[in-house]
Structure formats: C-alpha cells, structure tokens
Amino acid sequence: MSPINEQVKKPIISARGLFKGFKMGSEVVVALRNINLDINPGEICCVFGASGSGKSTLLNMLAGMDPPSRGEVIVDGLKITSMGENELAAFRQRNIGFVFQSYNLMSTLTAVENVALPLTFRGVDKRSRESAAVSVLRAVGLGDRLSHYPAQMSGGQQQRTGIARAFVSKPKIIFADEPTGNLDTRTAGDIMRMMVGFTRKNNETLILVTHNPELASCADRIITLVDGEITSDKQTGHNLKEGIRQ
C-alpha cells in the first residue's frame, strides 16, 4: 500500500482505554468504561444512546473539554489528554467547531457577530471575518437575519446561526451535542441536513450525539452506548437522500 493511502486511512480521532468515574460520597459512579474507538477523516459518526448512557461525556472527552480518569485521546496525531488547558484551548480554536442543543449564542451580539466570533479568536481582521460570517449565514438561509439578535430569532433560526458559527472557520472536526433536542421534527430534519451538507462539502468530520434514531440514520456510522460501554458499532449504509421520516 502506498504512503498516501496509509495517510488517508489514519484515524483523525483515536481513543484508548477511556474510563470516567465520578465520586459521590463513598461511591464511584462510572460514566464510561474501557472505551476504544477510532474515527476516520470525513466520517459522519453518531454516538447514540439513552439519557445517562455516557454519550455526552464521551463527546466532551473526544473534544478535549473533559479529561478522562484513565486513558488517552489522540486527535489529528496529537495526544490531547497530555495537553495543558491553554494548549487545549488553542488546539480547539484551530481545529474544532461545536454545535450545542442550547444554541449558546451571545445575547448581546447580532447573528453576524456571533458567527464571526471563532474567526476573532483566530486573529482574522474584522472585514474578512464579517464577510465570511455573512456568506455562511446566507448559506443557511439567514440572509435576512444578519443584524438580528438571538432574542429576535426563532429556535430554528438560532440553531442555524449556531451551525454557521461552527462551520465558518472550516474546522477539521465538528462536535454536535443533541443539536436538535429543542426543535420540532421538521426543523430538526432541516438542521441535520444542513450539518451533513456542510460536512460533505468541506470534507470535515462530524461527531453527533443524539438519542433520536431518525437523526442517527443520517450518519455513516452509529456507535451505541449503554451504561458507559460501547455495545454496537456499525455502518448504516444510509445516505442523506433517504431523509428523515416525519
């Protein structure tokens, strides 16, 4: 096999022996146990499970937001579990985008300003970052909401803004934690299609956490967690054209 093919097959995320426990009084509550996982570049991967299964804990560890009690996480060849907080923050700014269930928009900023924020942290000049923000907001159908504040937008519009913010800097990896949990079924389908569309267009990696099987079916791969353990890891064989049943 050629070196180029070897490089293509190298995982963008590798987790080995991840364990997470929380001490509650004299008891240790186990959130994750012995997680071993590889995620490939350009893959749309769903971490699926019921509430309390450990899926959000796993996502936070893969994103470097929460350290494991034991084990290691390697992202794009770098062991993020060995990084200090400042180094981790800089790494996330360069490589990672986030989409949250609660939108996490700044209430005092307009849609353009919210979306431009990641580029501000990268040192992009104001004119360039606002131009990029306007472009991606138009791409998510919010060309007429550029100067609106979060309180002036619906939940679906706020989540579209959140998607625009996550993708504006074209990060290598997008993490989405229950991104449609506060939305109706039809809007949820639109949001998922947008994320998949951006991911495919930019050849990025998307890691989605959800308990919704319809959203999970849009992924290339579904990893199921039960009580902090991977019980299933399978390719879906599905694609975006099949859509989400209403």
Side-chain angles (χ1 to χ4, degrees):
M1 185 177 292
S2 71
I4 293 178
N5 287 335
E6 290 281 2
Q7 186 176 8
V8 169
K9 285 185 172 293
K10 185 177 180 181
I12 193 165
I13 297 177
S14 289
R16 292 291 179 269
L18 289 188
F19 177 91
K20 185 69 174 182
F22 300 93
K23 194 166 184 179
M24 298 184 67
S26 60
E27 300 290 325
V28 174
V29 177
V30 176
L32 291 177
R33 63 180 80 234
N34 195 34
I35 299 293
N36 295 296
L37 179 64
D38 288 328
I39 297 173
N40 295 317
E43 194 167 35
I44 296 177
C45 181
C46 172
V47 181
F48 179 78
S51 177
S53 62
K55 57 188 187 297
S56 290
T57 301
L58 176 58
L59 180 141
N60 288 335
M61 286 188 194
L62 298 180
M65 301 291 287
D66 186 22
S69 303
R70 295 196 301 269
E72 67 177 25
V73 177
I74 297 172
V75 180
D76 201 25
L78 298 174
K79 189 185 293 187
I80 65 170
T81 39
S82 297
M83 292 182 180
E85 188 52 47
N86 290 339
E87 190 179 4
L88 262 175
F91 178 83
R92 288 193 296 264
Q93 288 173 10
R94 293 192 306 268
N95 297 284
I96 292 174
F98 293 94
V99 181
F100 303 96
Q101 177 179 349
S102 56
Y103 319 138
N104 281 21
L105 301 177
M106 300 289 289
S107 63
T108 58
L109 300 182
T110 65
V112 167
E113 291 167 340
N114 266 290
V115 172
L117 210 52
L119 298 176
T120 303
F121 295 137
R122 289 192 179 192
V124 178
D125 66 87
K126 183 177 180 181
R127 182 175 180 179
S128 297
R129 67 180 182 252
E130 289 190 352
S131 175
V134 168
S135 178
V136 72
L137 280 165
R138 286 175 175 162
V140 299
L142 293 179
D144 60 344
R145 295 289 187 273
L146 303 178
S147 299
H148 284 56
Y149 293 90
Q152 298 172 311
M153 294 186 282
S154 68
Q157 290 168 344
Q158 289 185 64
Q159 193 58 295
R160 288 172 185 239
T161 304
I163 290 171
R165 179 185 57 192
F167 283 91
V168 68
S169 57
K170 297 182 179 177
K172 293 179 181 178
I173 306 166
I174 303 289
F175 290 97
D177 191 358
E178 296 283 7
T180 64
N182 292 331
L183 305 174
D184 62 83
T185 302
R186 183 175 298 278
T187 305
D190 291 341
I191 292 300
M192 188 64 200
R193 289 182 180 88
M194 281 184 188
M195 288 193 296
V196 171
F198 274 117
T199 300
R200 299 293 193 209
K201 179 181 178 182
N202 298 333
N203 193 31
E204 294 162 320
T205 303
L206 173 62
I207 300 167
L208 164 76
V209 161
T210 187
H211 64 274
N212 185 332
E214 301 297 336
L215 297 182
S217 70
C218 288
D220 302 320
R221 175 182 175 194
I222 301 174
I223 298 166
T224 302
L225 285 185
V226 176
D227 295 333
E229 296 185 88
I230 295 176
T231 60
S232 174
D233 185 350
K234 62 182 180 181
Q235 301 293 322
T236 63
H238 296 167
N239 59 54
L240 188 60
K241 293 179 180 179
E242 294 178 28
I244 298 174
R245 293 189 295 274
Q246 301 298 322

